[in-house]
Amino acid sequence: MEKAMNRQRVLLQHLQPNSTTDPSSILTASNCAAGDGYKRGSCFGDDVVIVAAYRTAICKAKRGGFKDTLPEDLLTPVFKALIDKTKINPGEVGDIVVGTVLAPGSQRAIECRIAAFYAGFPDTVPLRTVNRQCSSGLQAVADVASAIKSGFYDIGIAAGMESMSTDKVSLGNTPNPKLNLFAQARDCLVPMGITSENVATRFGVNRLEQDQAAVESHRKAAAAVAAGKFKEEIIPVDTKIIDPKSGEERKITVSADDGIRADTSLSVLSKLRPAFSKDGTTTAGNASQVSDGAGAVLLMRRDVAMQKGLPILGVFRSFAAVGVDPAVMGIGPAVAIPAAVKAAGLDVHDIDLFEINEAFASQYVYCCKKLELDPEKVNVNGGAMALGHPLGCTGARCVSTLLNEMKRRGKDCRFGVISMCIGSGMGAAAVFERGDVVDQLSNSKVTA
């Protein structure tokens, strides 16, 4: 490894010639054609890379395959998969960060710690949870990447988990009377479905557009299943299911998403009544499904991954979280994506694939139109309207789905983005680079 680093230092000297060098033969690090500001340094051993990303199947809450699975038993299999499939020493992991939303914080943190022990992590490996609503899984990835980049540790795990069969959205306390004095504070408590109606009304997204987006989501997800695309990312889970009538318990193995409806059509969706407003356009068919699921992502420094001989699935390039009007929280991706892309030195049109969470069709359609995205680049394997949206899990799930698709597409797919809206008025987005783009001279050219 020391020899490799010495070679990189020599190369860096060549890329930074002194003033006596003939200008006509200077080799300089230039901007990548994929954006005026994007640069990769000649020494990139400190890149934060993803070497593995797995998820459980996503199942319908209270009705699906995980309805009787405890939260810690949902998370354990994806933790264990990272160890078993990469053969890493679990004791080398510097921290585990789990995105999770609905359960009380201290309770869920303990359940996640228990899951780590079940999976085989020693007591020396710490763990914490993070809650930024629907972006919690992606926030966990960003937190671990930031810690690695800062030198706090070299290897970390980011995960996401939600058992919506176990926990539900609950504000609990009586609203503060001061809310009536602060419109935006009051709007933080607007039900998510009503914010969807607000987006549809304010930005002119009609019912037909929303239903069409839902049909497309299911169609693409069904096609992905038929092509076996999710097999690389889904870890089968051995669990139990209890018959609600007889109380009979039986063992099952869950290995496929159970919310996808391949036969969904406009004629079927058009018959559904509005779910949140009498004259509204948001229905159970054009909104994300309430779901259970978990995902986990193994990140480390590039040089550590190379030393261990681990394949590099992707490179973490940037992250942005932004605030928007709580009354139309669904527009978050339209603001977060440009911010994250700019932070990576790129332009939105440089991005080859997008995973945008389909919390509601209204906001998904608006964000795609606002950013003028090519439909052929967005949610190519379906989204949350078909797969489901286990709140804390979604960001981690998207990492696995995005990076595996980028790997399949190869050289024609270099950059990908994951984004979602966030309850109370926020958005988050992250930029990833395909893992095998590692030629340190690919951004260099001879200048005249």
Side-chain angles (χ1 to χ4, degrees):
M1 191 63 198
E2 183 62 30
K3 290 182 179 180
M5 295 306 293
N6 284 336
R7 287 197 295 271
Q8 288 186 347
R9 281 192 284 270
V10 170
L11 180 60
L12 179 60
Q13 292 173 357
H14 288 305
L15 290 173
Q16 297 175 329
N18 58 42
S19 58
T20 61
T21 307
D22 180 2
S24 65
S25 62
I26 291 178
L27 186 65
T28 62
S30 73
N31 294 339
C32 169
D36 290 340
Y38 182 79
K39 295 181 181 179
R40 186 198 296 114
S42 60
C43 291
F44 53 98
D46 65 344
D47 274 349
V48 178
V49 302
I50 294 92
V51 299
Y54 300 108
R55 67 174 179 97
T56 66
I58 307 300
C59 295
K60 293 177 285 190
K62 300 188 182 299
R63 296 181 295 140
F66 292 134
K67 73 180 184 68
D68 300 308
T69 301
L70 294 172
E72 57 268 35
D73 291 335
L74 196 56
L75 186 57
T76 298
V78 289
F79 277 169
K80 196 171 187 303
L82 294 182
I83 298 173
D84 293 346
K85 291 181 178 293
T86 65
K87 308 301 181 184
I88 65 162
N89 176 357
E92 291 184 311
V93 174
D95 200 4
I96 300 173
V97 181
V98 183
T100 183
V101 179
L102 296 180
S106 59
Q107 172 189 324
R108 183 48 47 83
I110 290 172
E111 291 168 346
C112 293
R113 175 79 163 150
I114 290 170
F117 286 136
Y118 286 167
F121 289 94
D123 58 13
T124 54
V125 177
L127 179 147
R128 67 175 173 89
T129 57
V130 61
N131 185 349
R132 198 195 286 270
Q133 305 278 53
C134 298
S135 73
S136 296
L138 187 63
Q139 185 67 57
V141 173
D143 285 2
V144 171
S146 179
I148 292 174
K149 199 69 174 178
S150 298
F152 295 157
Y153 48 81
D154 292 338
I155 303 173
I157 289 174
M161 183 269 288
E162 208 70 55
S163 175
M164 300 182 81
S165 291
T166 304
D167 307 295
K168 62 181 181 179
V169 177
S170 176
L171 297 175
N173 300 327
T174 302
N176 190 321
K178 289 193 297 185
L179 285 173
N180 293 324
L181 302 176
F182 298 88
Q184 287 193 306
R186 184 180 64 245
D187 288 344
C188 288
L189 301 182
V190 171
M192 295 296 97
I194 298 300
T195 70
S196 172
E197 296 292 1
N198 291 344
V199 170
T201 301
R202 188 179 299 187
F203 301 106
V205 183
N206 63 44
R207 171 70 181 268
L208 179 60
E209 289 179 295
Q210 294 175 58
D211 286 350
Q212 285 176 328
V215 169
E216 276 298 286
S217 184
H218 283 278
R219 181 189 67 78
K220 289 186 286 189
V225 171
K229 287 187 174 183
F230 294 143
K231 290 182 179 179
E232 290 179 292
E233 59 192 74
I234 294 179
I235 300 300
V237 177
D238 295 325
T239 186
K240 65 180 180 182
I241 194 165
I242 301 173
D243 187 307
K245 294 183 179 179
S246 67
E248 178 186 358
E249 178 181 313
R250 59 187 177 90
K251 295 181 179 180
I252 62 171
T253 298
V254 179
S255 58
D257 305 313
D258 66 15
I260 302 169
R261 300 186 296 274
D263 59 349
T264 295
S265 66
L266 282 175
S267 61
V268 171
L269 294 183
S270 65
K271 296 175 183 177
L272 297 178
R273 295 180 179 178
F276 304 100
S277 174
K278 181 181 178 180
D279 300 318
T281 56
T282 300
T283 71
N286 59 34
S288 60
Q289 299 181 41
V290 177
S291 311
D292 305 323
V297 181
L298 179 60
L299 301 95
M300 60 184 67
R301 282 174 54 102
R302 183 192 291 273
D303 52 8
V304 173
M306 293 172 64
Q307 187 178 30
K308 293 180 176 298
L310 292 170
I312 295 172
L313 192 58
V315 185
F316 183 91
R317 286 301 177 199
S318 70
F319 173 80
V322 302
V324 299
D325 181 352
V328 286
M329 66 91 202
I331 69 172
V335 182
I337 289 173
V341 168
K342 181 179 180 181
L346 299 168
D347 182 86
V348 171
H349 299 293
D350 297 322
I351 305 303
D352 301 297
L353 280 180
F354 295 84
E355 282 286 331
I356 300 178
N357 187 43
E358 300 167 349
F360 299 97
S362 61
Q363 56 84 210
Y364 170 73
V365 170
Y366 165 77
C367 291
C368 290
K369 290 169 68 175
K370 177 66 176 179
L371 298 176
E372 299 180 344
L373 303 183
D374 180 351
E376 296 299 316
K377 294 183 176 182
V378 188
N379 293 4
V380 296
N381 295 314
M385 287 185 283
L387 299 172
H389 176 29
L391 308 181
C393 164
T394 291
R397 191 277 298 172
C398 286
V399 172
S400 182
T401 302
L402 175 72
L403 294 184
N404 277 294
E405 182 62 29
M406 292 174 71
K407 177 183 175 182
R408 282 189 290 269
R409 297 192 174 207
K411 64 180 181 179
D412 294 327
C413 186
R414 182 171 183 178
F415 295 107
V417 161
I418 294 170
S419 185
M420 61 281 293
C421 58
I422 303 169
S424 76
M426 290 177 279
V431 177
F432 297 84
E433 186 175 10
R434 198 181 77 248
D436 59 355
V437 182
V438 297
D439 179 4
Q440 59 198 69
L441 287 179
S442 66
N443 288 341
S444 301
K445 65 181 181 181
V446 176
T447 60

